[in-house]
């Protein structure tokens, strides 16, 4: 079973930046899309950003649009989330996800992001 391994995250002041990275554990893993979700304490997991490899389509949630940037490499099965102008409400556990077809059904273990005011 392929694993998605996340790195990065940690703590930052409001207005600061953090960078999250994610890579699939198997080189032969082929995904149609990769993305990031987050879950704050007491809240449901929500979509943050995604990139569809074939069409090169990128989506962002309204909450992060203009502040976060997703990028990646399809051949390497890696995806990066550059987070700028961080806000305290960005505090959450961030999860990397991958889709083989149309649904995100591969998930990373999650990495904590904490933004202080």
């Amino acid at each position: 079973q392929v694993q998605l391994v996340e790195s990065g995250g940690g703590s930052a002041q409001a207005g600061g930046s953090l960078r999250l990275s994610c890579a699939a554990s198997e080189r032969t893993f082929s995904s149609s899309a990769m993305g990031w979700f987050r879950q704050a304490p007491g809240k449901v997991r929500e979509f943050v950003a995604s990139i569809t490899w074939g069409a090169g389509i990128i989506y962002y949630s309204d909450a992060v649009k203009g502040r976060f940037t997703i990028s990646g490499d399809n051949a390497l099965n890696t995806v990066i989330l550059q987070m700028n102008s961080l806000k305290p409400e960005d505090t959450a556990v961030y999860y990397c996800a991958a889709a083989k077809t149309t649904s995100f059904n591969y998930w990373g273990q999650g990495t904590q992001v904490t933004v202080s005011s």
Side-chain angles (χ1 to χ4, degrees):
Q1 177 78 2
V2 66
Q3 293 181 333
L4 301 180
V5 181
E6 298 139 338
S7 60
S11 299
Q13 297 270 342
S17 299
L18 287 171
R19 180 182 175 97
L20 305 181
S21 298
C22 173
S25 60
E26 297 179 9
R27 282 179 159 266
T28 58
F29 178 72
S30 177
S31 64
S32 62
M34 294 185 76
W36 293 93
F37 291 72
R38 68 186 183 185
Q39 187 167 17
K43 295 188 176 182
V44 298
R45 189 174 300 188
E46 65 175 6
F47 169 80
V48 175
S50 67
I51 182 167
T52 302
W53 300 124
I57 298 174
I58 291 176
Y59 293 105
Y60 294 102
S61 70
D62 288 342
V64 307
K65 197 174 296 182
R67 300 186 298 119
F68 291 10
T69 302
I70 189 171
S71 61
D73 188 317
N74 186 17
L76 298 178
N77 283 308
T78 59
V79 65
I80 293 170
L81 186 68
Q82 178 66 43
M83 305 184 293
N84 298 330
S85 301
L86 284 163
K87 303 176 181 180
E89 50 263 46
D90 294 320
T91 295
V93 177
Y94 283 70
Y95 296 90
C96 175
K100 291 283 282 184
T101 54
T102 58
S103 299
F104 286 105
N105 45 19
Y106 294 86
W107 296 89
Q109 79 285 357
T111 185
Q112 178 69 45
V113 169
T114 302
V115 183
S116 57
S117 57

